[in-house]
Amino acid sequence: MLGGERAPSAACPCGLAAVYGDCCGRFHAGTAAAPTAELLMRSRYSAFVVRDEPYLLRTWAPETRPGEVDFDPSLRWRGLEIRETTDGSAFHGQGTVTFVARFTHGGEEGALHERSRFTRHEGAWVYVDGDFVE
């Protein structure tokens, strides 16, 4: 992992009441795959927190995946709130997750409000793209 490695016993950044190793850490390590679009969204948020570029890239749809993830060293993620989930379960092939991710950047507080689209690729959930929500 790059930058912000997290202890397995630390609180998970995704906001669920589980320790990192039992929550998003198992997805990052590759010992489990996120079973729903929402859990993939949460694990991708956590991957941004710990700066896990390999995980972010492998959970990005091939048709929209960038060559690399550009982590801003002055950006700190501060919390995730899931606002709405549509489809994205084990019974679906697509889903959306609307969320607010709070951050600080250069001492200023901000929030990213996005509706993300997910699909299954080779049986696993992947992030396709998203739209900013006002």
Side-chain angles (χ1 to χ4, degrees):
M1 260 183 261
L2 302 174
E5 201 161 323
R6 185 168 288 262
S9 60
C12 193
C14 81
L16 293 177
V19 296
Y20 174 70
D22 293 339
C23 196
C24 294
R26 64 196 168 117
F27 304 139
H28 296 172
T31 59
T36 66
E38 180 180 328
L39 286 175
L40 181 65
M41 171 60 235
R42 289 179 178 279
S43 69
R44 285 179 55 81
Y45 169 83
S46 293
F48 275 102
V49 171
V50 300
R51 299 182 182 173
D52 186 345
E53 182 180 37
Y55 181 76
L56 290 166
L57 293 175
R58 84 172 173 263
T59 58
W60 215 308
E63 63 272 15
T64 58
R65 180 186 306 135
E68 63 183 13
V69 178
D70 184 23
F71 295 107
D72 183 338
S74 64
L75 185 80
R76 296 288 178 260
W77 295 103
R78 300 292 182 205
L80 176 67
E81 175 189 348
I82 302 296
R83 294 270 176 98
E84 180 181 26
T85 300
T86 305
D87 297 334
S89 77
F91 304 105
H92 298 107
Q94 298 180 354
T96 63
V97 179
T98 304
F99 67 93
V100 176
R102 304 204 186 289
F103 62 86
T104 57
H105 184 254
E108 298 290 321
E109 293 186 6
L112 169 67
H113 190 182
E114 182 178 302
R115 181 175 299 108
S116 295
R117 283 181 286 283
F118 298 87
T119 192
R120 289 193 180 268
H121 176 73
E122 298 178 353
W125 284 108
V126 292
Y127 169 78
V128 177
D129 59 17
D131 296 318
F132 294 115
V133 179
E134 300 272 334

